[in-house]
Amino acid sequence: MDVALTSRLLLAVGLAVACGAAAAQPDEPRERALADFQQKIYQAGVGPATWHVSMVGASPGDKVQTVEVIGDLAAARRALDRRWPGQTRVVRGHIVSDLAYRRGHDYPFEAGLQSLDQPGFTVFKTDLAPDGHTTTVGVVGDLDAARAYLEAHYPGRTVVHGNTR
């Protein structure tokens, strides 16, 4: 009798595990497809001179991806709607900072750079430059205006790059 009870118990557990695994499998390709789609949206925001994708996401069940953009929202909307009609919603984004302390960063300085509100360019990223002494500043908009402004206000402390990284 103990063998019969043990067999039924093992059969029940085995069926539960199998059903759970079968139920979980259909979501895996969907989740992978969603992650691939979101990555394509991020990549679409690399390179344009006037806008940068800071974040992509959606609430569970949403058919439309919310795309946070730094820079020219209208240009981003046009580009994303052309590529994925009706699948994205563009909103104003914010710089996402790494909260982990890393040696060499001047975090108050980087925060000041990230909060700049200048006509002609917008900062989307700051980081410690490879030389360990200057700060790289990623901007969208007029690179020459950004370089001139930052060099005038923070001589020798910044290296400006466009929306390529």
Side-chain angles (χ1 to χ4, degrees):
M1 186 146 155
D2 287 337
V3 172
L5 183 59
T6 304
S7 295
R8 282 189 210 149
L9 183 60
L10 288 174
L11 179 62
V13 170
L15 284 172
V17 169
C19 289
Q25 286 177 346
D27 288 342
E28 187 176 306
R30 183 177 181 277
E31 290 170 6
R32 188 171 314 143
L34 178 60
D36 290 346
F37 179 49
Q38 290 177 339
Q39 186 60 37
K40 288 178 185 175
I41 294 171
Y42 273 113
Q43 291 303 315
V46 174
T50 61
W51 58 279
H52 173 82
V53 174
S54 64
M55 183 115 32
V56 179
S59 296
D62 281 356
K63 302 270 188 227
V64 176
Q65 296 296 307
T66 299
V67 182
E68 292 187 15
V69 171
I70 296 172
D72 190 340
L73 297 175
R77 278 188 193 103
R78 285 190 303 273
L80 295 173
D81 282 343
R82 202 172 331 141
R83 192 155 179 196
W84 298 289
Q87 295 180 28
T88 60
R89 180 173 60 97
V90 174
V91 298
R92 182 163 307 284
H94 306 282
I95 295 171
V96 180
S97 298
D98 183 359
L99 297 178
Y101 174 79
R102 291 179 293 165
R103 184 178 302 285
H105 281 260
D106 184 345
Y107 287 106
F109 179 57
E110 288 186 45
L113 293 171
Q114 292 172 5
S115 67
L116 284 176
D117 185 18
Q118 293 297 309
F121 70 90
T122 305
V123 175
F124 69 85
K125 180 180 181 179
T126 60
D127 205 352
L128 183 64
D131 67 9
H133 302 290
T134 58
T135 299
T136 62
V137 183
V139 300
V140 287
D142 187 342
L143 289 176
D144 292 333
R147 286 184 180 112
Y149 178 88
L150 293 173
E151 189 56 35
H153 289 84
Y154 312 104
R157 295 188 65 193
T158 61
V159 177
V160 174
H161 67 82
N163 188 15
T164 56
R165 316 180 213 177

